[in-house]
């Protein structure tokens, strides 16, 4: 069953909107001095690498070439690249229908948020 064009447009708009919101949220945190300045560059780098990793894996899947392991994609998300992973799953229509992967992906998102919250409470993320 192929998704309709309108469903794809909604998914694309939703993922772009979420990406913009997350970027604005990061800029707000930086502006309020709630996170160290270096963290935004690490966050952007990890998300760029994650987006590239999903794109590369999608192209390899289309060409039946060597694939990136799912554990690598999940680890990139856990390292802070989950916003880009979410966007990439919708932009490239990759790994967004595989239920076992999605369960692990959302678990890594929750673990990432919990870890960041814990680090913030413990004082490790104090600027």
């Amino acid at each position: 069953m192929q998704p309709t064009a309108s469903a794809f447009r909604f998914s694309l708009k939703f993922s772009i909107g979420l990406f913009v919101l997350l970027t604005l949220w990061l800029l707000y945190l930086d502006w309020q001095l709630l996170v160290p300045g270096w963290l935004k560059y690490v966050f952007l780098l990890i998300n760029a690498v994650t987006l590239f990793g999903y794109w590369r894996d999608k192209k390899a899947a289309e060409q039946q070439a060597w694939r990136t392991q799912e554990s690598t994609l999940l680890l990139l998300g856990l390292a802070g690249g989950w916003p880009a992973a979410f966007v990439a799953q919708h932009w490239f229509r990759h790994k967004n229908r595989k239920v076992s992967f999605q369960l692990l992906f959302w678990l890594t998102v929750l673990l990432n948020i919990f870890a960041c919250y814990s680090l913030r409470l413990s004082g490790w993320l104090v600027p």
Side-chain angles (χ1 to χ4, degrees), residues 70 74 95 97-107:
E70 286 185 353
L74 291 169
K95 299 285 187 192
R97 289 192 185 140
K98 189 172 181 182
V99 175
S100 61
F101 183 85
Q102 284 297 304
L103 289 173
L104 290 172
F105 169 72
W106 286 107
L107 178 64

Side-chain angles (χ1 to χ4, degrees), residues 1 5 21 30 59 90 94 108 118-119:
M1 183 172 158
L21 284 175
D30 182 46
K59 292 299 172 195
H90 289 82
H94 189 56
T108 63
S118 297
L119 288 172

Side-chain angles (χ1 to χ4, degrees), residues 2-13:
Q2 291 287 348
T4 64
S6 63
F8 175 71
R9 281 192 298 274
F10 171 77
S11 176
L12 185 61
K13 288 177 186 177

Side-chain angles (χ1 to χ4, degrees), residues 55-67 94:
W55 173 81
R56 185 171 169 259
D57 189 47
K58 175 66 175 186
K59 292 299 172 195
E62 291 172 347
Q63 298 169 357
Q64 297 180 351
W66 183 80
R67 305 277 307 274
H94 189 56

Side-chain angles (χ1 to χ4, degrees), residues 2-125:
Q2 291 287 348
T4 64
S6 63
F8 175 71
R9 281 192 298 274
F10 171 77
S11 176
L12 185 61
K13 288 177 186 177
F14 179 76
S15 60
I16 290 171
L18 182 65
F19 187 74
V20 168
L21 284 175
L22 288 169
T23 302
L24 290 174
W25 177 69
L26 182 65
L27 291 173
Y28 170 77
L29 290 177
D30 182 46
W31 179 63
Q32 293 293 322
L33 299 175
L34 297 175
V35 295
W38 58 267
L39 189 59
K40 67 181 170 193
Y41 299 113
V42 171
F43 181 77
L44 291 172
L45 178 64
I46 289 172
N47 277 275
V49 169
T50 302
L51 193 65
F52 176 76
Y54 273 81
W55 173 81
R56 185 171 169 259
D57 189 47
K58 175 66 175 186
K59 292 299 172 195
E62 291 172 347
Q63 298 169 357
Q64 297 180 351
W66 183 80
R67 305 277 307 274
T68 304
Q69 292 182 356
E70 286 185 353
S71 59
T72 302
L73 296 175
L74 291 169
L75 186 59
L76 286 169
L78 185 62
W82 63 267
F86 178 79
V87 169
Q89 289 172 19
H90 289 82
W91 279 359
F92 308 135
R93 295 191 215 177
H94 189 56
K95 299 285 187 192
N96 59 347
R97 289 192 185 140
K98 189 172 181 182
V99 175
S100 61
F101 183 85
Q102 284 297 304
L103 289 173
L104 290 172
F105 169 72
W106 286 107
L107 178 64
T108 63
V109 170
L110 291 174
L111 288 172
N112 190 287
I113 291 170
F114 177 74
C116 289
Y117 181 72
S118 297
L119 288 172
R120 179 74 178 131
L121 286 180
S122 69
W124 279 84
L125 287 182

